[in-house]
Amino acid sequence: NSQQSPIRFDLVLTPSLLVLHPSALPILFQEELLNKEATEGEAVTLHCKLSKSAQVEWRKGNKVLKPSDKYKIEQEGPFAELTIRDLELADA
């Protein structure tokens, strides 16, 4: 008889292959920056929250902002904050 029986395949998953390492996951914004209105001469604080802790780099256009009398930069875990002091129209 030339009848063939179906071939059966079993898929075996090794548990270690199913583990997702947190460092391999992309970093996403859980809370994105919101537009804020402020008055010239005052200060404004911008906040964001990431999906995991990672170093945040604040920029205005191509310029990387660094801590100074003008900019206060704080980060704790996934929470990042930028305060811009003595606001000017150019800070928009």
Side-chain angles (χ1 to χ4, degrees):
N1 192 342
S2 65
Q3 245 182 352
Q4 296 179 351
S5 47
I7 299 173
R8 181 174 167 212
F9 291 96
D10 290 324
L11 179 60
V12 178
L13 298 175
T14 306
S16 63
L17 296 177
L18 299 176
V19 174
L20 289 177
H21 298 283
S23 61
L25 297 175
I27 300 168
L28 305 171
F29 282 104
Q30 286 191 329
E31 291 177 19
E32 295 196 27
L33 291 174
L34 299 175
N35 288 331
K36 292 202 174 183
E37 290 186 23
T39 305
E40 281 187 75
E42 294 185 354
V44 68
T45 301
L46 304 172
H47 306 268
C48 70
K49 180 182 178 189
L50 305 174
S51 56
K52 63 181 178 178
S53 184
Q55 187 61 39
V56 170
E57 184 175 82
W58 294 92
R59 294 176 175 252
K60 182 177 186 322
N62 292 328
K63 179 186 173 192
V64 176
L65 305 179
K66 301 288 183 191
S68 65
D69 290 340
K70 178 79 172 172
Y71 304 110
K72 179 181 175 188
I73 298 172
E74 296 184 308
Q75 185 167 355
E76 188 172 320
F79 299 94
E81 184 175 278
L82 168 68
T83 299
I84 306 171
R85 300 177 182 115
D86 194 24
L87 286 169
E88 302 170 10
L89 189 56
D91 294 319

